[in-house]
């Protein structure tokens, strides 16, 4: 996974606000490893993306707490990908959702559950 891909995965993975706040506090105390563990415990971030997510938080950024926020972050970061996902979902295929999740995972490295929830959110917004 490239650094750019890890950053994208971090900004589209939902993390509870309480975990974000605790991780920032731990990082402020110099307890980086524990901060990353805290983020990973309440999300599907792996070690590398957890580290990237912590860096984003320390820099003053935020991570999404809902799937809607995650989809908005994806739109901002990669509108072309959201367009491709929309095209796949508008196809009259039974497996359109599966194909959209596969595409999202290939491009971002997001885990299966996170990809599923983002695609479901996009589907809902498209009225499917």
């Amino acid at each position: 996974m490239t650094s750019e891909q890890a950053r994208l995965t971090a900004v589209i993975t939902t993390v509870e606000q309480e975990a974000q706040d605790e991780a920032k506090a731990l990082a402020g105390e110099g307890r980086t490893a524990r901060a990353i563990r805290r983020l990973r415990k309440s999300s599907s971030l792996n070690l590398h993306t957890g580290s990237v997510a912590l860096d984003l938080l320390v820099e003053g950024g935020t991570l999404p707490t809902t799937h809607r926020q995650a989809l908005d972050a994806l739109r901002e970061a990669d509108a072309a990908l959201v367009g491709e996902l929309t095209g796949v979902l508008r196809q009259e295929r039974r497996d359109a959702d599966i194909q959209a999740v596969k595409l999202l995972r290939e491009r971002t490295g997001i885990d299966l559950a996170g990809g599923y929830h983002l695609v479901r959110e996009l589907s809902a917004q498209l009225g499917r």
Side-chain angles (χ1 to χ4, degrees):
M1 178 179 290
T2 66
S3 298
E4 187 175 309
Q5 192 179 37
R7 184 175 174 83
L8 179 57
T9 301
V11 300
I12 65 172
T13 300
T14 58
V15 180
E16 297 169 357
Q17 188 60 53
E18 181 180 336
Q20 292 183 47
D21 296 340
E22 289 177 23
K24 278 195 262 189
L26 288 165
E29 298 169 2
R31 299 165 71 187
T32 305
R34 190 166 193 148
I36 293 169
R37 250 186 318 228
R38 179 61 183 108
L39 289 175
R40 292 183 66 207
K41 183 177 180 183
S42 71
S43 69
S44 60
L45 295 167
N46 65 31
L47 186 58
H48 181 62
T49 55
S51 176
V52 171
L54 182 61
D55 289 344
L56 289 168
L57 289 174
V58 168
E59 294 167 1
T62 59
L63 303 172
T65 57
T66 66
H67 301 298
R68 177 177 292 260
Q69 290 173 346
L71 182 57
D72 290 343
L74 180 60
R75 276 193 180 101
E76 187 176 316
D78 195 342
L81 175 56
V82 175
E84 287 181 60
L85 293 169
T86 300
V88 169
L89 290 171
R90 286 194 170 138
Q91 293 175 2
E92 296 297 323
R93 295 176 51 177
R94 278 190 1 209
D95 68 341
D97 287 354
I98 294 169
Q99 294 306 314
V101 171
K102 284 181 179 180
L103 176 61
L104 181 60
R105 294 189 71 213
E106 287 170 3
R107 297 281 187 82
T108 66
I110 196 166
D111 72 303
L112 182 59
Y116 170 79
H117 289 295
L118 280 177
V119 167
R120 294 303 310 147
E121 178 66 32
L122 179 57
S123 290
Q125 289 182 12
L126 295 173
R128 286 190 66 229

